[in-house]
Structure formats: structure tokens, C-alpha cells
Amino acid sequence: MQMLNLTGANGVSEIYIETDLLSHAGQMIADVFSPSRVHIVTDSTVAPLYLAQLEQQFTLPVTSTIIPAGEEHKRLSTVEGIYHDLLAAGMTRKDLIIALGGGVVGDITGFAAATFLRGVSLCQIPTTLLAQVDSSVGGKTGVDLAEGKNLVGAFYQPRLVLIDPEVLKTLPDATFADGMAEVVKYGYIANPEILDMVSQPEYQEQIDDIIYECVKIKRDVVAIDEHDTGLRMILNFGHTIGHAAEKLGNYTELTHGQAVAIGMVAAMRLSAMRGNADLTAPLITLLQKIGLPTELTYDREAIFGALLSDKKKFGSTVNFILVREPGRAEITPIEAETLHEYILKL
Ligand code: NAD
Ligand code: GLY
């Protein structure tokens, strides 16, 4: 078992990574919390796979909410449904909410836990690779609005994060590849050894170690900048153009991981246009091996328009994360006019 602590403004999050951890998650939860009851939130795909296994490990009352799977349900009405279930179950501020699922379940449940009765203890049990290496750690929670993604939310750290790589075996290949886009991101922004690991033919056999290295980076970044006012922005490598592409595809043509993969390649090209070493070719080779797309197919003017409306724009500049060499990223503000020229050349 591997363990990491994340010390935030409101205490410590304990993060455990272990194959088959789900089979004894109940005991690990009992070692940390003393609730009178537990409420598990999961989705319609994960529930038939893992909910019963988790529920049967508790001797105290357990209730659950099963939300429909999919990003389109990451909205306020779903959170309201969870509040009603929490009240019907008699949950108090001393009880425990568990998120069992991918990033959608994690973000929604985290937001429900942050706001129900002004805050109830939270345990994250992420079941996608993306959720294990990224969304379950760091305390960003929230929902989408019709106007855009993640526009309502709260920073709310889980007290406990339980990561079981074994559950990734039931993931569709494309969903696994989505998480791998974030893994590659960590390699380029902070630790090139991750790129070496992922370049091995049988890299999936080392997935526990890969997850550990990624979570360690996320832990270190969040410990310095929990509320995303500086360093944490490096986690957005590939996400600036990625978000623009996701938006132009109406959030249906590209998954988040596919958009990040395309966005990383575009950001690498942009980095080279600014005089940095051109690292595009090895990145494309790696992403193609994983099964991710690499080329931006949307109209460049439309991409530029979407970039300017992105929430990471500050005044007349857009913050880009550029990689100078594998493992070394920089937050680089680029003037809108200059950015326009670059985007037309992509
Ligand atoms: P997801 O939660 O929609 O999961 C993808 C699909 O996999 C779903 O259909 C789900 O039911 C299914 N699934 C989950 N676990 C499974 C398993 N073990 N076996 C089989 N199927 C399984 O998507 P995701 O990629 O995990 O997360 C994307 C969400 O995460 C987005 O909403 C994004 O905004 C959010 N996110 C949040 C943060 C953060 O810091 N909070 C960071 C990155 C992404
Ligand atoms: N996924 C980006 C962040 O947590 O800041």
C-alpha cells in the first residue's frame, strides 16, 4: 500500500493507493471516521459493479443515491436530489458521505458534501483513471451550468481518498485512455520518469506506480496553491486549447481526455513558436500509442474566440502553460493579439 498526506487549510487528506483496496475499504473508513450513518453516491454504471461490495462492509446504516452516468447529469438538479436523499436518510453533520465513481460522481458528491448542512465529512473512492490521478485529489468540487462547465463549485477537501487500481479493469479502453491524457500531462509538467514508464510496452502492469507518481505531483502542487491562484495553473497544461475544443464540439464530439491530448500538442507547437525546443514529435508518438487524438480539427478563428471567453483569461492576456523541457512547465501570459497569430499557424 502507498500512502500520501495532503495538508490543506482545513486539515489533512489521507490518500491510499492499493490493489484490491475496495475489499477492505470499510475498515479503512472506520479507522478514520466515526459516523452514525453513511451515504454513498455513485452512478448507474458503477453501482452494479461495486456498490454492494462496499455497502456490505459497514455494520452501521448505509443508504445510497444512484445518479444516471454522464457529464450531462453534473448539474444542480442532481445535487438537489442528493440533498433530499440525505435528509430522508437522517444524515447529520457528524455523518459521512462517500463518492464512489468517476470525476462526475466525485465533483457532484464533493459539492453536495461541501454544502449540505454547511459541510459533512467526505471520502472519495475514485473508479476511473482520471479520477484516481486527478479529480479525487485537491478538493475542487462543482457542477456545470447551461453556460459552461464547472461554473458553480467549492474547494472542499476529502478527509480520505481510497484508490484501488483494480477497479480500472472494468473501464472501457477509451475511458482508460482519457485518464492517460492526464498522466502524460503530469510527465511533461513535473516528472519525465512518468513518460518513461508510460513508454514501456506493458505500462498498464505498472499502473499503481504511475498513479502514485501522478498523485504525488498533484499533492505537492495543491499543498502550495490549494485555491488555484498561482502554481496550480500548471495542472492546466493542454487544458486551455483543450477546453476551447471541447466547447466547439458541444462537449459531445471529444471526451475531456481527447481534448486535453489535442490541447497538449497545440500548446507544444505554441511553445516552439516562442523559441522553446520543439517537443511535439515525441508527444504525438506517445499519445498515438495510448490511443488518443493529436490534431485540432476546429476552425482556428473559432478556437481563438473560445479562448478569449475562457475563465483563465486575465485582462488582455491568456495564461498558457508552456513546457520548456519534459518535467519543466511555466505559466506564460500571452497577449491576445500575439495569441491570435499563433493560433492561425497551428
Ligand atoms: P465520468 O465520471 O463520467 O466516468 C466516465 C464513465 O466511466 C462513466 O460512464 C462512468 O459511469 C464509468 N465508470 C466509472 N468507473 C468505472 C469503472 N470502474 N468501470 C466501468 N465504468 C466506470 O468521467 P471521468 O473522466 O472520470 O471524469 C470527468 C469529470 O471529472 C468531468 O466532469 C471533469 O470536469 C471532472 N474533473 C474534475 C477535476 C477536479 O479537480 N475536481 C479534475 C479533472 C476532471
Ligand atoms: N484538474 C486541475 C486542478 O485540480 O487544479
Side-chain angles (χ1 to χ4, degrees):
M1 181 183 307
Q2 291 169 304
M3 197 258 180
L4 290 159
N5 275 336
L6 166 56
T7 307
N10 295 314
V12 178
S13 290
E14 289 172 38
I15 306 159
Y16 293 91
I17 304 164
E18 186 192 21
T19 297
D20 209 26
L21 182 155
L22 195 60
S23 67
H24 58 103
Q27 186 55 53
M28 296 184 73
I29 289 167
D31 289 345
V32 172
F33 303 97
S34 309
S36 302
R37 53 183 63 244
V38 170
H39 190 84
I40 303 169
V41 180
T42 188
D43 75 20
S44 50
T45 305
V46 177
L49 295 167
Y50 303 113
L51 180 58
Q53 184 187 1
L54 182 60
E55 278 176 332
Q56 68 198 19
Q57 295 176 44
F58 295 99
T59 47
L60 41 80
V62 184
T63 45
S64 61
T65 300
I66 302 174
I67 64 176
E71 179 76 29
E72 65 273 28
H73 300 286
K74 193 173 129 178
R75 55 184 193 219
L76 283 169
S77 58
T78 307
V79 178
E80 191 178 356
I82 295 171
Y83 295 147
H84 291 307
D85 288 354
L86 293 169
L87 286 169
M91 292 281 287
T92 72
R93 291 179 70 183
K94 295 200 165 94
D95 294 325
L96 172 68
I97 300 179
I98 300 175
L100 174 70
V104 168
V105 166
D107 281 11
I108 294 175
T109 310
F111 186 60
T115 48
F116 182 70
L117 305 178
R118 299 196 180 84
V120 180
S121 295
L122 172 67
C123 168
Q124 289 274 4
I125 307 184
T127 62
T128 61
L129 181 58
L130 181 140
Q132 295 192 346
V133 297
D134 191 352
S135 60
S136 65
V137 174
K140 280 190 183 174
T141 73
V143 294
D144 305 333
L145 295 181
E147 289 87 342
K149 277 189 60 164
N150 299 325
L151 290 176
V152 174
F155 287 100
Y156 193 69
Q157 298 294 347
R159 173 75 180 77
L160 185 64
V161 182
L162 299 178
I163 298 175
D164 180 355
E166 189 67 17
V167 301
L168 303 179
K169 291 197 172 142
T170 52
L171 275 187
D173 289 347
T175 315
F176 185 85
D178 273 343
M180 284 303 296
E182 302 289 351
V183 169
V184 170
K185 172 192 83 177
Y186 285 115
Y188 275 100
I189 62 169
N191 181 359
E193 280 175 25
I194 293 174
L195 303 174
D196 296 337
M197 291 164 101
V198 174
S199 299
Q200 304 300 317
E202 307 297 330
Y203 71 90
Q204 297 197 17
E205 287 171 13
Q206 291 189 73
I207 200 72
D208 302 35
D209 294 332
I210 292 172
I211 293 168
Y212 175 78
E213 292 303 329
C214 293
V215 172
K216 197 157 62 151
I217 295 166
K218 179 127 191 199
R219 186 277 309 266
D220 290 346
V221 169
V222 174
I224 292 169
D225 178 24
E226 186 174 356
H227 293 120
D228 204 10
T229 55
L231 179 71
R232 191 163 177 169
M233 285 182 226
I234 67 163
L235 299 175
N236 281 322
F237 172 52
H239 287 59
T240 316
I241 290 178
H243 283 151
E246 260 184 300
K247 192 170 175 184
L248 293 179
N250 290 321
Y251 300 100
T252 52
E253 291 175 17
L254 294 172
T255 63
H256 179 69
Q258 290 170 339
V260 169
I262 291 168
M264 286 192 289
V265 173
M268 261 337 176
R269 290 204 173 109
L270 220 137
S271 185
M273 285 178 210
R274 289 184 75 85
N276 294 318
D278 192 348
L279 304 173
T280 317
L283 172 63
I284 290 177
T285 306
L286 188 57
L287 293 173
Q288 285 177 340
K289 187 187 100 142
I290 291 165
L292 287 162
T294 55
E295 294 309 315
L296 192 60
T297 54
Y298 297 100
D299 175 70
R300 303 308 192 248
E301 289 291 358
I303 288 282
F304 181 66
L307 282 175
L308 289 191
S309 65
D310 190 277
K311 61 185 174 196
K312 284 165 201 80
K313 176 176 171 289
F314 291 96
S316 64
T317 62
V318 176
N319 273 335
F320 258 88
I321 312 309
L322 300 183
V323 171
R324 281 196 173 265
E325 60 189 68
R328 191 154 72 92
E330 279 173 9
I331 303 165
T332 313
I334 301 182
E335 286 292 330
E337 208 176 305
T338 314
L339 182 62
H340 187 230
E341 286 168 30
Y342 291 152
I343 298 293
L344 294 183
K345 284 193 235 164
L346 279 178

